Amino acid sequence: RLGFPKENERDSDADSRQSRSYCAESRCFDRRSSSRPPCTPERQTHFFLGTILMAKRERMSSVDTAWLRMDTPTNLMIIVGVLMFSSPVDFARLKRTLEFRLLHYGRFRQRVVHDAAGAWWELDQNFDIDSHVLRVSLPGKGGKSELEAYVAGQISQSLDLGKPLWQFQLVENYHGGAAVVARFHHCIADGIALMGGLHSLTDSSRDAPAEGA
């Protein structure tokens, strides 16, 4: 459920009640739904101002807290996915797509904070998408073996705990086309939920217009 608390988890404090409302309003992906959300800037503005800013932070669910606590430098709880494309991918368009579609889900603008009561999701007031969407190049021929070696190195790299726990890397010179390496902390979502989130980034037609066009 992209890290959102389950609706049957009952907490007594106001933050948790706001979290359940937040989950219902966001229409976040879960295993039963993979429909793409509306992606208009107006919808985004309403979503963030009407929900996240009202609840400055949300209690992290017990399940997601467990994933967070299991994370160690030698056993990272990070899900890594690789998308491969036969033709080049425009970096600016990729970033716009993520801004319109991925950031529709407020979780991707939130960082993890801790206090004596446990872990919380808190809006990152200094959020900068350029810290999360990067462009890289492979060494040598830029083939499958070079991509595999690069991804293997990324699997052992932790995410910045001071920022929202996700990252996209555009590999611009893979096999005459491109590849995208997506990294998410497991406390945001499990693999099945993230598949729904990644599906929302795609279009059914190669000629689909760019976001904001």
Side-chain angles (χ1 to χ4, degrees), residues 46-64:
H46 172 77
F47 177 74
F48 292 122
L49 294 182
T51 306
I52 294 180
L53 297 183
M54 288 177 61
K56 292 184 178 180
R57 64 178 190 170
E58 310 164 51
R59 185 186 297 279
M60 185 179 290
S61 72
S62 58
V63 172
D64 294 328

Side-chain angles (χ1 to χ4, degrees), residues 16-34:
S16 295
R17 289 194 295 273
Q18 287 174 322
S19 297
R20 289 192 290 274
S21 173
Y22 172 65
C23 180
E25 290 185 27
S26 70
R27 299 195 297 170
C28 58
F29 282 100
D30 60 23
R31 299 183 183 186
R32 298 163 301 189
S33 173
S34 61

Side-chain angles (χ1 to χ4, degrees), residues 53-126:
L53 297 183
M54 288 177 61
K56 292 184 178 180
R57 64 178 190 170
E58 310 164 51
R59 185 186 297 279
M60 185 179 290
S61 72
S62 58
V63 172
D64 294 328
T65 299
W67 285 114
L68 185 66
R69 290 176 176 173
M70 284 190 285
D71 187 281
T72 68
T74 57
N75 186 36
L76 296 175
M77 295 292 109
I78 297 175
I79 299 170
V80 180
V82 181
L83 308 174
M84 291 168 282
F85 302 87
S86 59
S87 57
V89 172
D90 181 77
F91 180 70
R93 181 169 181 174
L94 172 64
K95 191 160 66 170
R96 283 199 307 274
T97 299
L98 293 172
E99 285 180 310
F100 275 81
R101 300 186 187 181
L102 189 70
L103 297 186
H104 170 84
Y105 301 103
R107 181 66 78 240
F108 295 98
R109 288 181 179 263
Q110 292 176 307
R111 63 191 185 100
V112 176
V113 295
H114 301 267
D115 63 15
W120 302 76
W121 294 107
E122 180 179 85
L123 183 68
D124 183 1
Q125 300 289 349
N126 299 312

Side-chain angles (χ1 to χ4, degrees), residues 133-207:
V133 186
L134 312 175
R135 58 205 309 178
V136 299
S137 295
L138 297 174
K141 296 181 179 180
K144 183 178 180 181
S145 60
E146 287 82 6
L147 179 63
E148 289 175 344
Y150 179 78
V151 174
Q154 290 300 301
I155 289 174
S156 62
Q157 297 294 317
S158 61
L159 293 165
D160 186 344
L161 294 176
K163 294 181 172 64
L165 297 175
W166 63 274
Q167 185 183 80
F168 277 75
Q169 300 178 16
L170 174 62
V171 182
E172 296 185 299
N173 65 329
Y174 171 65
H175 216 319
V180 172
V181 180
R183 307 174 67 224
F184 305 90
H185 198 285
H186 210 309
C187 67
I188 292 179
D190 62 22
I192 294 177
L194 284 173
M195 284 300 296
L198 290 175
H199 178 73
S200 77
L201 303 179
T202 65
D203 292 296
S204 58
S205 170
R206 180 185 295 269
D207 299 321

